[in-house]
Amino acid sequence: MITGRCECGSVAFEVNAVRDTVTVCHCSQCRRTSGHLWASTVAPAGTLRFTCDEGLAWYRSSDFAERGFCKACGSSLFYRMDGEDNIAIAAGCLDTADGLTTGKHIFVKDKAGYYEIGDGAPQFRKL
């Protein structure tokens, strides 16, 4: 069982398994909502179980997706596209990320200029 939570604990969850790779998104929306970049893994949405959701809020960030965050501490936690069976889970909110590796970088055309990507993972200008 994999567990995770926001910084203050007002949102906590468990999931049986997640994808073993992390996608790093450099788009402007992810940079704004996370403060830098968005690194997430994925699980089937139906396998995500909340053990505490009192702080959970959803923000419709586009006409095709929404982002889940903690309204108490502001932690950026989830991303889900309309009609998809999967949910993206912030890798940083997992209690342990053992075994996860960076699989790819997306929207690198929007990357901020103050850092370089040097981990060797594939890079895509868009999705």
Side-chain angles (χ1 to χ4, degrees):
M1 187 66 59
I2 297 167
T3 58
R5 66 179 187 88
C6 67
E7 177 65 18
C8 72
S10 293
V11 179
F13 63 90
E14 58 188 21
V15 63
N16 294 337
V18 296
R19 185 184 63 203
D20 62 356
T21 58
V22 171
T23 297
V24 181
C25 185
H26 303 268
C27 80
S28 60
Q29 276 190 355
C30 285
R31 287 190 292 113
R32 285 186 185 100
T33 62
S34 71
H36 180 47
L37 47 80
W38 172 255
S40 65
T41 186
V42 172
T47 66
L48 181 70
R49 292 171 303 281
F50 291 98
T51 55
C52 181
D53 65 357
E54 66 188 51
L56 182 62
W58 292 92
Y59 169 69
R60 172 123 331 249
S61 56
S62 68
D63 59 356
F64 57 85
E66 61 185 353
R67 297 170 186 271
F69 66 98
C70 176
K71 61 186 175 188
C73 68
S75 294
S76 181
L77 303 167
F78 307 106
Y79 178 85
R80 64 181 177 196
M81 294 181 67
D82 297 343
E84 293 285 323
D85 293 330
N86 292 326
I87 187 165
I89 303 169
C93 74
L94 299 176
D95 292 329
T96 180
D98 295 346
L100 298 182
T101 59
T102 302
K104 65 183 173 182
H105 295 267
I106 59 174
F107 292 99
V108 297
K109 68 177 182 58
D110 298 332
K111 180 185 85 57
Y114 61 86
Y115 65 95
E116 296 299 321
I117 302 169
D119 60 12
Q123 297 181 28
F124 299 91
R125 289 185 52 74
K126 294 184 178 184
L127 180 61

